[in-house]
Structure formats: structure tokens, C-alpha cells
Amino acid sequence: MELVVDQLSVARAGVPVLRGVAFRLAPGRALLLRGPNGVGKTTLLRVLAGLQPPLAGRVSLDPDNFAYAAHADGIKSTLSVAENLNFWADLHGTRGSTGIEVALAAFHLSDLAERAAGALSAGQKRRLGLARLLVTGRPIWILDEPTVSLDRDAVTWFADVVRAHLANGGSAIIASHIELGLDAEVIELEPFRASWSSATNDTDFDEAFL
């Protein structure tokens, strides 16, 4: 299932940040988004995931095809590690098809399966947040700085998980400053930055959002 993004323009807090973004992503392929802080990587990913509307342009696939991992880990601190994964499997209707054991093993969380998520370290919480991807059953992963709080070993585990996902016909869009060693196309977003003249007038402009 190929993703086509055509002439996409996005805004943050009402201020245009990117205009005319266009690319295709075939099954089994990864795309890396690069650019300086504030260029609009997170905003673009949120639009692709269906969390906010674009200003213009087209995303060819419905948001139900995407699994989005943002800066927040998205875990329930009072539930155990295993219960968190079961919660997400139930939410996506995949319990029994993927198996949380696979997700636990992939991110080296099996020994922590019964521990309350709130008692995990920052890196362990991040690994649990990423393990959710494996129980969604969704073919396209949208990942915003996924390696935050991960040590070197965990970054390697994460990259291995992404490679396996691609090998199984999935695809991934990743915004990251870390070199993951993936065979991926790279899109530099700086050329798509919306000109300042296209923003609202100075009285409405809030530089904190750039």
C-alpha cells in the first residue's frame, strides 16, 4: 500500500511552517525527515497521522493505516508493562494476532512484564512506548524522535525492529537526529519552509512557535 503525499502545507498555531511537501513511500521502505529545530517536522508528522488538518494538499491513505509514536510515551503508569501492551492490543483489535510476547522480547522487556510502568526508568518507559507499535497491526509507522532516552543498545534494538517491520512489508516515516543505519530515503524539509511573508501579521505572530 503506497503512501502518496501531494503538495502538503501545514501550520503550527495558525502560522504556516511548511508548504508543498510531496513524496511517495512504498511498502518496505523508510523515509527520514531532516531539518533544523522548528522547521516543522513534528507538525508534519501530526498532520500525516490525522491529528490535525493540513492547510492544503493531500495524504492518500486514511489515518487508520498509521501508528504514531510521539514525544510522549503514551503509557498508563498504574498498569504493568504487559497490561499496557494488552490495553493497546485490545484498542486496536489485535490481541492474539501479534502477541505481546513478541513486543516484550523485541525491546528486552520480558523480565519487566509484571512491573508497574510508573516504576520504570525513562529509557524503559520509552522502550515500552515503542513496543506499542508492534501490537497495533498498522502498516505505516510515524515516529517523532523515537530514540529519545534510549541508550546505545536500545537504539540498536529499535533499529532492528524497524528493519523487521520493513522486511515484512511495512513502512516508516521517522524524524530523528540520530543515525539509525537504515536504508532509507532522506527528505530535507528546509526547502519546504513557508516564507515569513506568508505568516500572519506581526501582531498575531508568536515567535515561540518557530
Side-chain angles (χ1 to χ4, degrees):
M1 186 180 302
E2 184 179 53
L3 169 65
V4 179
V5 173
D6 185 31
Q7 298 300 309
L8 199 65
S9 297
V10 303
R12 182 170 55 239
V15 178
V17 290
L18 295 171
R19 291 191 184 278
V21 177
F23 62 83
R24 292 174 177 266
L25 182 64
R29 299 297 299 165
L31 177 69
L32 301 180
L33 301 181
R34 296 288 168 84
N37 290 338
V39 75
K41 296 185 294 293
T42 293
T43 304
L44 175 59
L45 293 180
R46 286 178 54 81
V47 170
L48 293 176
L51 298 178
Q52 67 182 73
L55 290 177
R58 181 178 72 98
V59 178
S60 66
L61 298 180
D62 186 89
D64 287 345
N65 291 286
F66 303 113
Y68 178 53
H71 294 134
D73 296 318
I75 62 177
K76 295 182 177 294
S77 60
T78 58
L79 298 181
S80 72
V81 169
E83 287 170 339
N84 266 277
L85 292 178
N86 277 322
F87 169 83
W88 285 99
D90 287 342
L91 184 67
H92 290 281
T94 60
R95 189 191 281 231
S97 59
T98 300
I100 67 165
E101 294 80 10
V102 173
L104 290 169
F107 285 95
H108 295 246
L109 292 168
S110 299
D111 292 344
L112 302 173
E114 302 308 317
R115 182 174 298 183
L120 299 175
S121 69
Q124 290 166 341
K125 289 177 180 177
R126 190 59 172 167
R127 283 153 51 195
L128 174 56
L130 293 171
R132 293 181 301 133
L133 295 166
L134 290 169
V135 302
T136 64
R138 297 196 169 179
I140 302 175
W141 293 354
I142 298 178
L143 309 171
D144 194 358
E145 297 295 347
T147 60
V148 171
S149 299
L150 297 184
D151 60 23
R152 182 178 300 177
D153 286 342
V155 170
T156 299
W157 303 334
F158 165 71
D160 288 342
V161 167
V162 174
R163 288 190 191 93
H165 178 63
L166 301 178
N168 288 325
S171 53
I173 303 171
I174 308 170
S176 178
H177 295 289
I178 302 298
E179 178 54 57
L180 297 171
L182 300 173
D183 178 15
E185 180 183 353
V186 176
I187 290 185
E188 294 288 347
L189 292 180
E190 182 68 28
F192 300 101
R193 190 195 287 266
S195 65
W196 284 45
S197 62
S198 66
T200 56
N201 62 48
D202 290 342
T203 58
D204 294 329
F205 184 80
D206 186 347
E207 65 181 5
F209 290 101
L210 289 180

